Amino acid sequence: MIPSKKKPKPVMRHLLAMESLDKSAINYLLDLAEHFAATPSHDPSICTALCGKLVTHLFFEPSTRTIHSFEIAAKRLGTIVLQPNMMNLSTVKGESMIDTIHTFEKMGTDCFVIRHPDNFMPQFIAGELLGHTHIINAGDGYNQHPTQALLDLLTIRQHKTTFENLSVCIIGDIAHSRVARSLVEGLQKMGTEDIRLVAPQIFMPEDIKNLQVTATNKLNDGLANADVVVALRIQKERIKNSVLPDVNQYFQSYGLTQERMTHAKPDAIVMHPGPINRDIEIDSQVADGPQSVILQQVKNGVHVRMAVLHTILTQSDPS
Ligand code: NCD
């Protein structure tokens, strides 16, 4: 039985940012993801759940985990998935993004899953739709990546009893990270107060004061007694005007090693959204070690995306 029978389904036309989800909507989506994880994939309540729906992926940036887990999630629920070859789209002939969107809408798209290098592009597209089409943000610039935050929250919930008393340490290129922004917002909605962001000054966001977190340049201070440790990749593709740090020096100061992990709680979990750059932000011993839940995050990604697609695509249509 789908948990929506017990808890009210959140009203969700789109999923553009964590801002639109409250604690009960987050819990609903995480419970539904757990339900999908526990139900055999050949069960008709799953494999025909969204039969007849068309999901179109528009990824204007590379992706391994996000695009393919969305594809698997949509196909597991019985939808048709259109995955255009981005190099062959008419946008390269000068067609505007909105004309491309309208074209796919008229071909029957029910839901777009969009990743774009520009902040707020999915939000902009959502304002330009012709019909009652849905949009899921799969990452926009350094702004938001809501399904990543949901899968991170699910992974944390599977290991820790409450969100309220957790100490969470997020390390690395925070300034250019949509993952960090979305996760901080998600954790705060779930009641986590002790969030520490650790980065060299060049990777600290300018609006850090608005985020209501603790910021430090010292890794061991951020790690002290942490329950959850999240390492992030340096977002080279988003760094245009400043000089990248030397990777060896960066690893010396901010690389997550076994020795450094001794500052966190002994039962702390280690997370990373992927892709990992080994020996830059994280040592292989930690990435592949017993505290790592990185591959569990990958697995949860499929079920969380099933939950989001299912919730959005089973909303009753407006009259
Ligand atoms: C992240 C992203 O694209 O924002 N990866 C992901 O979605 N799994 C993080 C990154 O690319 O570093």
Side-chain angles (χ1 to χ4, degrees):
M1 188 177 56
I2 287 181
S4 57
K5 301 277 188 298
K6 286 179 263 158
K7 288 187 190 163
K9 179 160 60 176
V11 178
M12 267 169 81
R13 159 110 190 248
H14 307 297
L15 179 57
L16 300 172
M18 289 304 284
E19 194 185 8
S20 65
L21 299 177
D22 60 14
K23 185 175 176 177
S24 85
I26 293 172
N27 274 324
Y28 175 93
L29 291 167
L30 303 191
D31 290 349
L32 187 54
E34 295 278 26
H35 164 79
F36 287 135
T39 312
S41 51
H42 60 267
D43 189 297
S45 74
I46 302 241
C47 62
T48 61
L50 299 181
C51 180
K53 299 288 185 187
L54 172 56
V55 177
T56 299
H57 288 176
L58 293 175
F59 275 61
F60 294 91
E61 269 189 1
S63 174
T64 298
R65 280 152 275 267
T66 307
I67 194 168
H68 294 108
S69 58
F70 263 115
E71 181 179 357
I72 294 163
K75 286 182 172 168
R76 286 247 187 262
L77 292 168
T79 75
I80 299 170
V81 178
L82 186 63
Q83 197 115 265
N85 177 344
M86 302 307 283
M87 305 302 285
N88 289 339
L89 277 187
S90 289
T91 40
V92 301
K93 297 193 212 167
E95 181 173 77
S96 78
M97 164 84 83
I98 297 304
D99 286 335
T100 306
I101 292 284
H102 291 168
T103 302
F104 284 125
E105 267 194 286
K106 286 295 169 195
M107 289 181 184
T109 295
D110 295 290
C111 179
F112 289 104
V113 179
I114 300 177
R115 169 170 285 193
H116 200 279
D118 294 346
N119 289 358
F120 300 107
M121 185 54 90
Q123 286 81 343
F124 170 70
I125 292 169
E128 300 287 326
L129 295 168
L130 296 175
H132 196 73
T133 318
H134 305 273
I135 301 220
I136 300 174
N137 180 358
D140 61 316
Y142 55 85
N143 180 39
Q144 282 283 307
H145 193 350
T147 58
Q148 178 70 42
L150 290 169
L151 76 88
D152 291 344
L153 293 175
L154 179 60
T155 311
I156 294 170
R157 200 177 80 164
Q158 287 165 344
H159 288 272
K160 305 290 167 192
T161 42
T162 69
F163 283 99
E164 277 84 4
N165 300 322
L166 289 183
S167 299
V168 180
C169 170
I170 306 177
I171 310 156
D173 181 3
I174 315 280
H176 305 101
S177 175
R178 52 199 178 205
V179 173
R181 275 176 193 281
S182 308
L183 179 56
V184 166
E185 229 177 304
L187 284 165
Q188 287 171 338
K189 282 176 189 258
M190 299 309 284
T192 307
E193 285 173 13
D194 184 9
I195 303 174
R196 304 112 179 233
L197 302 185
V198 180
Q201 214 46 43
I202 52 157
F203 289 158
M204 272 300 175
E206 281 170 14
D207 62 344
I208 187 85
K209 288 205 177 75
N210 304 334
L211 299 180
Q212 294 177 313
V213 294
T214 308
T216 174
N217 305 133
K218 297 199 181 86
L219 180 51
N220 290 349
D221 289 356
L223 283 172
N225 284 316
D227 300 282
V228 176
V229 180
V230 183
L232 298 171
R233 180 179 70 89
I234 300 175
Q235 306 276 301
K236 290 189 216 103
E237 65 277 26
R238 279 179 236 296
I239 303 172
K240 307 260 154 62
N241 300 324
S242 46
V243 181
L244 281 168
D246 171 82
V247 288
N248 293 323
Q249 261 175 22
Y250 182 81
F251 184 71
Q252 288 300 317
S253 308
Y254 294 98
L256 193 59
T257 60
Q258 286 285 50
E259 193 277 319
R260 290 226 162 91
M261 274 304 293
T262 59
H263 294 273
K265 291 212 179 111
D267 65 349
I269 55 169
V270 173
M271 303 174 64
H272 192 306
I276 295 173
N277 283 176
R278 289 171 187 264
D279 303 328
I280 300 180
E281 72 268 9
I282 190 165
D283 187 78
S284 284
Q285 268 191 313
V286 179
D288 306 328
Q291 287 168 282
S292 170
V293 295
I294 295 171
L295 290 175
Q296 190 178 342
Q297 289 174 269
V298 173
K299 187 172 175 191
N300 284 335
V302 173
H303 302 127
V304 157
R305 287 170 179 129
M306 285 172 80
V308 170
L309 282 164
H310 190 279
T311 304
I312 285 181
L313 284 168
T314 55
Q315 302 276 315
S316 39
D317 277 344
S319 48

